[in-house]
DNA sequence: TATGAATGAGTATTCATTCAT
DNA sequence: GATGAATGAATACTCATTCAT
């Protein structure tokens, strides 16, 4: 009922929206519920977002920004292989720490109505994938991965990571977060080993 | 206003529900729309299903039954390796031919409200995964896969398959169905090769 | 809050809608207010009308039906001139007795949102105007009106009638209904006289 | 967010309001939309108008001022008959050039909520009608109109003019502006001729 | 002069569901 | 087995307006 904390309205609202999205499911993320969570009238949201769709798009954009931050850590790696490992770590950490964003971005085309248009997604996903491909190429060049083509291998790795998280998130297995993490690491260690020359 | 064909009411309704679910997305599958599609009053559905949630659960059950049919084909394989390949084929075909079911079952825990409880999912998923593990174990025994533990390898393969379909379905890449299929096959060929002794 | 009287739902709702339209103005005819007037939940209206626009169109259609009833009386006239006078009387009586319908049909293109499409209006208006033209033509033939062309004269008469009612309805003059009626009659008597050979 | 040009705020705002009113219809003239059209915050309008109703009344007043300008041209007429013709021309031109104002002023009592009180309308309309009556009286005196009483004839002429425009505006006929104009002229020529001694 | 934030009432519409028939 | 009527809660969104700055 009060005013949202100084100059952070947008951020505060998106945070609650994401929270709601995680806990209640995409189809229950309504402006009304977000507003209630924020402690504000539904109409107040229209000060900060043009429409529900606008809010959803902004939410997605923030997700990608966060994703990028996780992946950027890999740049500190000394060798190509080290950078690849850090990249995988970043992906894993993002997926497990920000599961709501992860589902939103990678697991379904239909979770949020306003996000049917995936161009935005691809626009951000492409450079990310590029980064992975380059990294794999460097590993092949340095002899730490067998040469089966950088792109196919990159795709396989991305698919494996995505799939592991999907299985965890969908509840197909009943893993705790820690368990999911160790399965993820083990699985990747094995695969990277198998793909070593 | 016509009556549904004798004794097939349940089947007919679920068929329309699935159709709607595939074409319009989970959040648009309402009893009203199903009823309109069937050509019947919303209330008529209550003769056959206790509630919307009940209908959803039945829908999911049918999905698993279909999934099982796809996987059962693998039993005709002569060798362990052949059975593994057929298993993967079955998974791929199900994922691409029945994308609505696939998303429902593996990609999000939250697409349908009534399906938060994943026990049902696990109950069916477990024997399926068992089948995969056994198959991998047989492959290891017969020397067509390196021995890194049957379960970890099975998990990796399942994750990879799930992930490839997720990436396709979420629109992260812009693959046609045919393209998705060939990427899937290429990726698996490489991985199986890498895991060969 | 009870059920609408047996089999008359549509009629009852339209009657209240029309009433509201007369008393509160077009822009205040909302489904909510109609429902409240009927003594029913807003949603109950959707049983009987597909949408607000549907309701508006039905309202208009009923207006034309009523209009036709008023004009049909003229058919009982013995001579052409008598029929013309009865036609004018019918128009006057409709305009004064059913002012809400009259405004809806003839005075503004924008009173109701759903009625921007005037094809329906024209479809009904055309035969009506035809009837007037024929009547005038008969009067010319029988020598009770000067021959300046049946259609131009008919148009002039229609315009005069419409204008008199418009001036009354818009409040430009402050006529009582009785006063409006006598002005209407006097004005027409003079004009018909002026147009006599 | 720029400031409105010095001292012209009122005029600029009303201009945009009228534009909106013409193009979008009365019920879509909201303070928000006017503000957006002006390029200003909704609240800024409250500097210049007490309320929406106030703005509407001012809008109407401007309409009458414009109307008067059109009619004033008739004063240049040499004879009584010439002045009458110019008066009719002025009415016609106003009605066709400023249809939004015309509807607002003469066609419905209910287009704008704030204008239910028609005293303002009558206050301006009376001298206008007076002018017409005087003109007709002069025509009678000079022998160019038959003597059926100046006021009844004036009323008939006004009604005819109003009605022709109403039929045009309401879409009862599908006249182009040019067609409406020629119908108007022809109809008046005939009537004035009929009322000649 | 104007803005930015927020409100509260109101808009049409969709939905799952109850109940009497 | 199925309908017809109605409900109550929810949805996104628009609007005029208040208030502090």
């Amino acid at each position: 009922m009060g005013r949202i904390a100084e100059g952070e309205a947008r951020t505060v609202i998106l945070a609650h929206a994401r929270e709601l999205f995680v806990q209640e499911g995409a189809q229950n993320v309504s402006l009304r519920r977000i507003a209630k969570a924020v402690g504000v009238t539904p109409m107040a949201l229209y000060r900060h977002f043009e429409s529900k769709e606008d809010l959803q798009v902004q939410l997605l954009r923030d997700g990608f920004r966060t994703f990028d931050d996780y992946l950027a850590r890999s740049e500190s790696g000394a060798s190509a292989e080290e950078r690849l490992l850090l990249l995988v770590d970043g992906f894993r950490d993002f997926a497990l720490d920000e599961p709501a964003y992860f589902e939103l971005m990678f697991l379904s085309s239909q979770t949020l109505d306003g996000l049917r248009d995936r161009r935005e997604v691809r626009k951000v996903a492409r450079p990310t994938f590029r980064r992975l491909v380059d990294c794999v190429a460097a590993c092949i060049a340095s002899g730490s991965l067998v040469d089966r083509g950088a792109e196919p291998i990159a795709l396989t790795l991305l698919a494996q990571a995505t799939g592991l998280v999907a299985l965890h998130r969908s509840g197909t297995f009943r893993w705790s977060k820690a368990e999911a993490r160790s399965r993820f690491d083990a699985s990747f260690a094995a695969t990277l080993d198998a793909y070593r020359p």
Side-chain angles (χ1 to χ4, degrees), chain A residues 27-76:
Chain A
Q27 87 188 234
N28 294 321
V29 180
S30 67
L31 290 185
R32 285 199 136 50
R33 293 180 72 140
I34 296 171
K36 183 177 283 183
V38 176
V40 113
T41 286
M43 303 310 101
L45 302 186
Y46 283 89
R47 206 40 29 213
H48 309 284
F49 302 91
E50 274 195 347
S51 64
K52 191 188 183 185
E53 184 165 335
D54 180 34
L55 195 153
Q56 289 174 332
V57 171
Q58 307 267 19
L59 191 62
L60 188 65
R61 222 188 287 274
D62 273 21
F64 278 120
R65 212 165 289 149
T66 307
F67 186 45
D68 246 23
D69 291 347
Y70 274 86
L71 297 188
R73 303 179 194 164
S74 71
E75 285 162 11
S76 67

Side-chain angles (χ1 to χ4, degrees), chain A residues 26-166:
Chain A
Q27 87 188 234
N28 294 321
V29 180
S30 67
L31 290 185
R32 285 199 136 50
R33 293 180 72 140
I34 296 171
K36 183 177 283 183
V38 176
V40 113
T41 286
M43 303 310 101
L45 302 186
Y46 283 89
R47 206 40 29 213
H48 309 284
F49 302 91
E50 274 195 347
S51 64
K52 191 188 183 185
E53 184 165 335
D54 180 34
L55 195 153
Q56 289 174 332
V57 171
Q58 307 267 19
L59 191 62
L60 188 65
R61 222 188 287 274
D62 273 21
F64 278 120
R65 212 165 289 149
T66 307
F67 186 45
D68 246 23
D69 291 347
Y70 274 86
L71 297 188
R73 303 179 194 164
S74 71
E75 285 162 11
S76 67
S79 65
E81 188 173 5
E82 200 177 320
R83 283 205 305 281
L84 179 59
L85 292 172
L86 287 172
L87 215 52
V88 171
D89 283 358
F91 187 95
R92 176 204 63 202
D93 288 346
F94 174 74
L96 296 181
D97 292 350
E98 306 279 2
Y101 274 148
F102 187 83
E103 289 207 13
L104 194 57
M105 291 155 66
F106 296 115
L107 290 192
S108 176
S109 52
Q110 308 187 324
T111 30
L112 288 193
D113 245 8
L115 305 180
R116 292 266 173 71
D117 182 349
R118 306 298 280 187
R119 270 175 300 185
E120 195 90 22
V121 179
R122 275 193 291 275
K123 209 189 302 174
V124 187
R126 205 174 309 133
T128 300
F129 185 58
R130 206 61 260 159
R131 203 197 299 235
L132 177 60
V133 173
D134 291 347
C135 206
V136 169
C139 287
I140 292 173
S142 74
S144 45
L145 281 183
V146 66
D147 187 1
R148 275 181 206 278
E151 210 189 289
I153 293 184
L155 176 60
T156 297
L157 296 179
L158 177 61
Q160 189 177 329
T162 304
L164 280 165
V165 180

